[in-house]
Amino acid sequence: MTEREILQSWIEASDNIVFFGGAGVSTESGIPDFRSVDGLYHQQYDFPPETILSHSFYVRNPKEFYRFHRNKMICLTAKPNDAHKKLAQLEQAGKLKAIVTQNIDGLHQQAGSKVVLELHGSVHRNYCQNCHTLYDAQYMLDSEDIPVCSKCGGNVKPDVVLYEESLDMDVMREAISYISKANVLIVGGTSLAVYPAAGLIDYYNGNKLVLINRDATPMDRQANLLIQGNIGEVLGGIHGI
């Protein structure tokens, strides 16, 4: 059997699958990986993305933070790709129990998935740091300089986890619970280099760890099944579900 045939058989036989994904799941929808260095990035910004997306930079230089956030992090025209759609189908079929994602774009929910654990938050949730009024992504996109609350004038911050900030421990505990109980764990579109999120796969207790990625990861040797390729193309090829 080929790797993809093995994946097909494991999915057909299981009703306890968990998916853990990163930026590579969304790049096929046209959302760039902000860590990738490109010409446009060099022309527009004087700091690396990891610096701009840190808590200390947000406090020190909020105008530049929000300029990057609008230009690079909010992409409301993006649509779910074959990976998002297949995962939603697997959930509807009773096979997939949860999606654990490092992405903040909301495309899994847009595709129809219900149980989505967002480790790093979402650009679709934004809140006033003063009165906690909630705002959507369009409000942030339409704002200028530093977004302010229409009710009290406080600063509106995206509900995303910045560098130097802690992950939501309730979300982490729920992710650990799903992963530790999973029969099949499919990991895709992530370099498995960003901690503590990357450490979640250490909680998997099964023997069907699937890694789907275009490039090698530090966890490749731990995989029971390794498939090199685009996550949308690989998952989109799963049939009969």
Side-chain angles (χ1 to χ4, degrees), residues 108-121:
H108 285 297
Q109 292 93 329
Q110 196 175 324
S113 293
K114 304 300 183 187
V115 183
V116 182
L117 305 179
E118 296 172 312
L119 297 174
H120 296 154

Side-chain angles (χ1 to χ4, degrees), residues 189-208:
T190 173
S191 64
L192 292 172
V194 177
Y195 284 81
L200 283 172
I201 69 170
D202 293 335
Y203 291 94
Y204 176 60
N205 297 307
N207 61 357
K208 294 182 175 66

Side-chain angles (χ1 to χ4, degrees), residues 155-224:
N155 290 352
V156 179
K157 183 179 184 291
D159 187 15
V160 297
V161 179
L162 303 178
Y163 288 96
E164 305 165 351
E165 293 180 343
S166 299
L167 300 187
D168 185 313
M169 291 313 298
D170 288 336
V171 175
M172 282 288 283
R173 277 191 286 269
E174 196 171 359
I176 289 168
S177 177
Y178 276 111
I179 288 172
S180 65
K181 296 171 186 173
N183 170 241
V184 178
L185 176 61
I186 303 174
V187 180
T190 173
S191 64
L192 292 172
V194 177
Y195 284 81
L200 283 172
I201 69 170
D202 293 335
Y203 291 94
Y204 176 60
N205 297 307
N207 61 357
K208 294 182 175 66
L209 173 59
V210 184
L211 290 191
I212 305 170
N213 214 35
R214 287 186 305 179
D215 304 311
T217 79
M219 306 292 186
D220 284 1
R221 290 185 179 181
Q222 291 181 226
N224 302 109

